[in-house]
Structures are given as C-alpha cells and as structure tokens.
Amino acid sequence: MSVLFANVTAVTMDPTQPVLENAFVAVEGTKIVSVGTVRPEGTFDRVVEGKGKVLMPGLVNCHTHVPMTLMRGYGGGHDLQHWLNDFIFPAEAKLDDRAVAAGAALGLAEMIASGTTCIADMYMHTGTIAQEIMKAGISANLSCGGVYFGAPEDFSPEKCNDCRNQQELTEQWHGAGNGQILVDASIHAEYTSNPPLWQWMADYAAQHKLGMQVHISETRLEHESCLEKYGKTPVALLDQYGVWERGGTAAHCVWVTDEDMALMAQKHITAVHNPVSNLKLGSGVARVPQLLKAGVNVTLGTDGVSSNNNTDLFEEIKLAAILHKGVQHDPMAVTAHEALAMATVNGARALGRDTGVIAPGKLADLILVDFSAPNLMPCHDVEENLVYAARGSNVEMNMARGQVIYEKGEFFTLDLERIRYEVEHYALPKIFPQA
C-alpha cells in the first residue's frame, strides 16, 4: 500500500533537514520512499492531510516488561528488592501463557495508542509475547531475562531452564515477520545469576550474532553488593565474561561509575534511561549528562508498568529533559532535541533497527501528533512542544512497518474488547484470586 502524508510538519531526526514545514512524506509498502517540500508525482492509495499535524518517527521503548500491565499499581511504596521479592515474584509465579498473552496485549494497546512502534522486552513466556507482537504489528527485540540461582559448579546448559528458553526462542522467533521480531540474548541481572550463565549467554550471543539485554546497576545495593562480592562493578564484571562483545543494552545504569561509562562507550553498550521507574522505586537518578559526554548511546524505557505505572514514552521524554536540568542546575543539561533522539534514533540504533529517522529508505515507523490540541497551542518551537507539552493521548495515528495500526482511537490489529475480557475474567483472577 502507498500512503502520502501531505502538508505536514515533519520532525525528521535527520540532521540534514531536522524540521520540514508543509512537507510531503511518501510511504510504499514498509519503507519511506520520499521526503521533501514538493508533492511527489504519481498516485497513492491514501493521502493523509497533515495540516495542523506533526509527523515524527515512531517511539522506541528500549526497556519493557510488557505483561506487567497486570500488576499496575501493585506493591507500591517499596524499594526494588522488597517490591520484587514480596510482591512481584510471588504474583509472577502464578502466570501462565494465557495470562501473559492478556497482559501483553493490554500493554501493546497502551503503547500503540501513545506512539510506540518498536520495543525491547525482557520477560518470561517469551514465545507467547512474540505471538502478540506479531498480531499487533510493531517491531520488537525479545529476550527471556536469563536467571540462574544454582551453584556455579552445578551449572549445565541442558539443565538450566533459561538456556533452553534462549535456544528455543532463537530457533522459533529470531527474524520472524521479515525481521519484525529479533531475539536478543539476556541476563536478568548480576544478582539473579552467576558466572557460568554469563559465559554461556555471551558465547551463545556471539555464535548466533544476537544482541544482549541486561539490568545494570539499578540500585546502590545491587552495585555495591557486586563490588563487595566480586571486586568489580556489574558492567566491568560482565565484560570479563565477554557479555558485551557485541555491545548490548544496559537498563537503568543509575549507579554506573565514570570508568563504567568509558567502558560502555568503548564496547558500544547502550544505557537505557528509565527515569519514572527509577524515581518511583527510589533507586536514584542516572547521570545522563555524564553518559552523553562520555559518548554513550542513551535511550529511553518505561520499564514494567508495575513500577511506572504507564507506558507513555512522552512522559519519559519530558522527564529525561527536565530532571537533569534540576539535578545539574543547568537548563542545557539535556536538550529537547537530545531527549527526542533518545526516544527515536538512539533507540533504533541500540536495537539494530533501520528506523527512528524520517528519510528515504528507512522503515516506515511513523506517528502523527495532533497539534490542534489545546495543550499544544500555540507552537513557537515544535521540538519544545513535543518534549515539554505533548502526551501520548495527542497521538492521532500510529503507522508501524508501513501499516496503519491505530488511528483516532481505533485499533486495527487488536481487539480491545476481547483484551479487556481476558484481563478481567482470566488473568487477574488467576494472579489475584482473593481480590
């Protein structure tokens, strides 16, 4: 299908033409074929009139646990370790494929309606999540979040559940949907695993040319306990086992050191900033301006809904832009453009996706934002409005991989009524039977 966005303000994230007024953006199939201020020749299956609208790259959520929508608002008021051990892990032990499918579908609906077109997700029942991703139409880098609590000397890939999960996931889903789904190797965290798993995951990623997802230095306790136990930070420790040989995404990075940052830049490790989740759990504030100055690729994530409590990346964009201004006492600590880049082109780079920029040849992951909304008027600077004033509710259209999957409140790939039924009548009673 061919689509032409006409007379639209295009925030391209392309440094050669960052903002185009009265622009024409043409899409053919899954790709953008032309971008400019002159209407391209030819006919189109659909022309979308863009007057009063802003077209921008779809948002990339680089750290999620999508099915955790089922635990929205559950266990609040606790630090990470108590929250995980006393609330989240016991609830997750009751999950099955059907409950995970319901939670994933609900999370995907929320993401799609607020402008997300690509995610990196780490969660159990990963094949079930892959099925929901395929139906929804967005792109995803999926991982199972490898854990191993056994004694190091007892480790065996044949007996470790997450080694088998990693192998099955890669064989069944890597590259599915013409690359719609990519499988990453993963280590949940240093504190939920030990060296034999790290080495196995590193070797597996190298052999199969996979990305890597890890939780890194989210809390002071995690970071300092690793130093006490191993004499190294989590970033440096995992590097010793080859975990970062193909780069990777390191979620949180709240307590990484200057030395960690230098290593991250050298090894092409992306820092995924999750400001809302880190603040809600009292984990701290990642030193994003320092990460940027060190040359680290910084992206954004919402983390799981249970510690956020939504998947609106526009909220993360605004917080990423203003939080560090206050902490650093510097109004230029993170600029509006840098915050937008974290949610678009930087995220695409981290996940190995040819998207995040409105330019010919790029994947047509595009969102249309309604700038006639009261909270976006007047507009003196389009990037300032997107960062500091826009909300996910201002997204009017979501096009993922060239397919319009959402427009003006209507989902074209998801059955929202069925999702609600599954959540309310199956998933929630299964997890919280006494509620």
Side-chain angles (χ1 to χ4, degrees), residues 45-348:
D45 296 320
R46 182 180 179 188
V47 176
V48 178
E49 176 54 50
K51 187 173 178 60
K53 320 286 185 189
V54 168
L55 188 72
M56 66 176 290
L59 305 180
V60 182
N61 190 337
C62 276
H63 184 61
T64 70
H65 311 289
V66 181
M68 292 184 84
T69 49
L70 300 174
M71 289 159 266
R72 193 190 311 266
Y74 179 63
H78 298 274
D79 63 26
L80 176 67
Q81 299 304 325
H82 287 95
W83 174 76
L84 282 174
N85 293 316
D86 299 340
F87 294 91
I88 301 305
F89 288 162
E92 288 180 330
K94 302 173 185 175
L95 290 170
D96 63 6
D97 282 347
R98 184 176 172 186
V100 166
L106 180 63
L108 290 168
E110 183 180 353
M111 289 177 174
I112 288 167
S114 55
T116 296
T117 56
C118 183
I119 66 172
D121 194 72
M122 177 193 285
Y123 211 63
M124 63 192 79
H125 299 268
T126 321
T128 298
I129 298 169
Q131 293 173 12
E132 297 303 316
I133 293 284
M134 289 293 289
K135 289 187 282 188
I138 70 168
S139 301
N141 287 40
L142 300 181
S143 69
C144 62
V147 301
Y148 177 68
F149 294 100
E153 60 271 19
D154 294 335
F155 176 83
S156 165
E158 292 74 26
K159 296 179 181 178
C160 176
N161 286 336
D162 280 336
C163 291
R164 294 198 304 272
N165 289 339
Q166 180 68 55
Q167 292 168 325
E168 291 172 4
L169 187 67
T170 305
E171 291 165 5
Q172 294 174 15
W173 289 103
H174 188 51
N178 292 319
Q180 181 182 347
I181 290 177
L182 298 178
V183 170
D184 288 342
S186 63
I187 297 162
H188 176 267
E190 168 271 323
Y191 63 90
T192 54
S193 56
N194 54 45
L197 179 68
W198 309 337
Q199 188 69 66
W200 186 89
M201 280 289 181
D203 292 344
Y204 191 85
Q207 291 163 9
H208 294 83
K209 299 181 179 180
L210 305 180
M212 181 69 71
Q213 297 184 32
V214 191
H215 291 99
I216 287 289
S217 297
E218 182 174 358
T219 67
R220 175 183 280 172
L221 176 63
E222 169 197 343
H223 188 82
E224 293 182 350
S225 296
C226 182
L227 276 169
E228 182 178 344
K229 184 176 181 180
Y230 295 102
K232 292 189 175 185
T233 66
V235 169
L237 177 65
L238 294 179
D239 184 56
Q240 179 182 329
Y241 291 88
V243 168
W244 309 118
E245 286 310 301
R246 290 183 50 77
T249 55
H252 303 295
C253 297
V254 176
W255 294 93
V256 293
T257 65
D258 291 349
E259 292 76 16
D260 288 337
M261 293 181 193
L263 180 60
M264 292 172 72
Q266 177 191 344
K267 294 285 188 174
H268 304 290
I269 305 165
T270 289
V272 188
H273 187 29
N274 298 261
V276 173
S277 176
N278 294 154
L279 291 175
K280 186 172 188 285
L281 290 171
S283 301
V285 177
R287 296 186 297 146
V288 167
Q290 287 77 12
L291 284 160
L292 291 170
K293 287 176 184 175
V296 177
N297 186 47
V298 180
T299 66
L300 293 177
T302 56
D303 207 2
V305 161
S306 49
S307 62
N308 188 292
N309 290 13
N310 64 56
T311 61
D312 187 349
L313 263 179
F314 279 101
E315 186 175 84
E316 308 290 337
I317 293 170
K318 179 175 182 176
L319 191 53
I322 65 173
L323 177 61
H324 306 286
K325 291 172 169 55
V327 171
Q328 303 281 332
H329 310 289
D330 178 4
M332 294 299 290
V334 174
T335 67
H337 184 78
E338 285 173 329
L340 277 180
M342 291 177 198
T344 54
V345 62
N346 291 9

Side-chain angles (χ1 to χ4, degrees), residues 96-100 102 421-431:
D96 63 6
D97 282 347
R98 184 176 172 186
V100 166
Y421 180 89
E422 285 292 295
V423 169
E424 293 172 356
H425 295 277
Y426 182 79
L428 293 180
K430 179 164 181 56
I431 305 171

Side-chain angles (χ1 to χ4, degrees), residues 112-113 395-398 404-412:
I112 288 167
V395 173
E396 184 174 289
M397 177 189 289
N398 186 322
V404 176
I405 60 174
Y406 172 87
E407 187 172 5
K408 296 179 180 177
E410 184 177 358
F411 294 91
F412 301 114

